[in-house]
Amino acid sequence: MVCTGVRAEEKMLAAAFSARDVELHVVDDRTIHGDLGSWPETLPQVDAVLLRSKSHWRNVVIARWLESLGGCPINESRVIETCGDKVLTTLALLKEGVPTLGASLAFAIPGAEMTAEAIGYPLVVKPVIGSWGRLVGKVNDPDALDLVLDHKAALGGAPHTVTYLQRFVETGGQDIRSFVVDGRCIAAIARTSEGWKTNTALGAKATGLELDSELISASEAAALAVGGGIVAVDLFETDDGYLVNEVNATMEFRNSVDTTGVDIPGVIADYVLGEAEAAPAEGPRA
Amino acid sequence: MSVAIGTACPICAGAVDTPDDVMLGELLDCDECGSELEVTQLAPGLELTEAPMCAEDWGE
């Protein structure tokens, strides 16, 4: 398992592997280095590598590196890339006909202003790359939009050259997160916040949610659209049914085991071990 | 980067609760100052270091 420090999730996963009498190597991503034509230094040549870095880019490049050598990263690079980039996520969901909130793009201020008028206020502006609700802004009027666009320009950097806009869905400060492993929706929580952002990283409260057929269907369709593996799907419950908002490839679940009664780290461990068994017998190339 | 040997917070010197099964690399919070700390050594003595700041591409 590759990670950036050991969070509650990695510790729960370590316990799950230990309970299955599996020797787990925990490798900090900051120690990984080496020639791209060879297996990374400090990473044992194991049958499967569970990628849990906090960094999206590190997860992507490590997955690509291992795949180039016949290794088995979990998740696959295409899943991580798609989930870590909101544009790619939205495109994947649209391509597969998954019920989604959708989004619009703009690349300069006039285009963003016209797009916002078409969506209507309030709306939400998000960084294309990013998580935990950081820099996600609810924009109530054109003046606020100008301010957000000014801030993006001042921040600089390639990701802020793209403006990703979504309509604002009034949900009373609640959304749904479902957990999908190997194509199967195993659990879901409702995330409730006093504000409009529902990230548990920002303090939203998680409560277990009973799965219904429509939620299972939307969750599993979203997971399939991004390439499967281990993902968490964020959805809104609307008058039009469930709409998928985002999909996460390095999911956090510390607040979702006791609340759902589902052994999420155990399910993940079983999936990883199954993938390791299915990996080529000769193992990755050194 | 602030580093401390033992279970004292390297930022505020407050006492940090460390679980019995503490792991190398484990991230802990200091209840007194709220700093996020990382276990950077288990033996011969526990070493706590201020955890890295959140980066733009960090998340789920």
Side-chain angles (χ1 to χ4, degrees):
Chain A
M1 175 167 66
V2 174
C3 49
T4 316
V6 176
R7 296 171 290 181
E9 284 79 10
E10 284 78 40
K11 197 163 186 182
M12 295 163 84
L13 287 164
F17 283 105
S18 176
R20 287 157 176 77
D21 289 327
V22 173
E23 184 186 7
L24 176 72
H25 302 271
V26 179
V27 178
D28 194 288
D29 60 12
R30 290 162 288 185
T31 70
I32 291 177
H33 62 279
D35 186 309
L36 276 175
S38 304
W39 194 257
E41 302 286 342
T42 74
L43 187 64
Q45 289 200 32
V46 291
D47 296 320
V49 179
L50 179 60
L51 296 177
R52 297 277 318 168
S53 288
K54 289 180 181 177
S55 159
H56 167 63
W57 293 120
R58 286 184 195 174
N59 281 322
V60 168
V61 297
I62 294 171
R64 282 186 167 268
W65 193 353
L66 302 185
E67 286 166 352
S68 75
L69 297 167
C72 177
I74 300 169
N75 285 311
E76 297 176 14
S77 62
R78 64 182 177 128
V79 177
I80 302 166
E81 283 178 301
T82 303
C83 294
D85 182 318
K86 291 180 177 62
V87 176
L88 298 185
T89 305
T90 301
L91 291 174
L93 296 172
L94 291 171
K95 181 182 177 191
E96 298 302 324
V98 179
T100 178
L101 191 58
S104 299
L105 283 188
F107 305 100
I109 289 175
E113 290 172 341
M114 286 189 279
T115 304
E117 289 298 327
I119 294 173
Y121 294 95
L123 53 85
V124 175
V125 175
K126 298 177 177 178
V128 171
I129 307 282
S131 189
W132 297 332
R134 291 193 313 277
L135 297 181
V136 173
K138 181 184 173 198
V139 176
N140 291 326
D141 54 49
D143 288 342
L145 179 66
D146 285 345
L147 183 65
V148 169
L149 297 175
D150 280 348
H151 284 186
K152 282 172 68 67
L155 282 167
H160 289 296
T161 61
V162 175
T163 301
Y164 178 98
L165 309 96
Q166 285 182 314
R167 67 185 170 95
F168 175 74
V169 178
E170 182 54 71
T171 61
Q174 177 171 300
D175 76 350
I176 293 168
R177 162 159 295 191
S178 62
F179 301 89
V180 184
V181 179
D182 196 19
R184 190 169 66 90
C185 182
I186 59 169
I189 56 169
R191 304 188 300 181
T192 309
S193 169
E194 291 182 3
W196 66 275
K197 291 185 186 180
T198 53
N199 308 79
T200 53
L202 299 177
K205 184 182 173 192
T207 52
L209 198 64
E210 196 164 324
L211 295 174
D212 63 54
S213 59
E214 189 187 352
L215 177 57
I216 291 171
S217 176
S219 301
E220 294 181 354
L224 185 64
V226 299
I230 303 165
V231 296
V233 182
D234 296 341
L235 311 97
F236 294 123
E237 188 172 17
T238 73
D239 292 341
D240 299 323
Y242 292 107
L243 296 179
V244 176
N245 184 24
E246 297 180 5
V247 188
N248 305 276
T250 319
M251 61 169 153
E252 293 167 347
F253 48 80
R254 70 186 69 181
N255 301 311
S256 305
V257 174
D258 290 342
T259 48
T260 64
V262 176
D263 179 15
I264 296 172
V267 175
I268 292 173
D270 288 337
Y271 171 66
V272 171
L273 295 176
E275 291 295 292
E277 281 186 16
E282 66 271 20
R285 301 192 305 277
Chain B
M1 183 188 302
S2 301
V3 180
I5 305 296
T7 56
C9 173
I11 308 301
C12 73
V16 179
D17 288 334
T18 53
D20 293 337
D21 61 347
V22 67
M23 292 175 64
L24 184 65
E26 187 162 342
L27 299 170
L28 305 169
D29 291 326
C30 173
D31 289 338
E32 294 196 26
C33 71
S35 296
E36 187 179 37
L37 309 173
E38 181 173 2
V39 177
T40 46
Q41 175 181 289
L42 290 175
L46 196 72
E47 181 182 271
L48 297 177
T49 304
E50 187 178 11
M53 295 282 287
C54 181
E56 186 175 4
D57 73 329
W58 280 19
E60 294 189 79

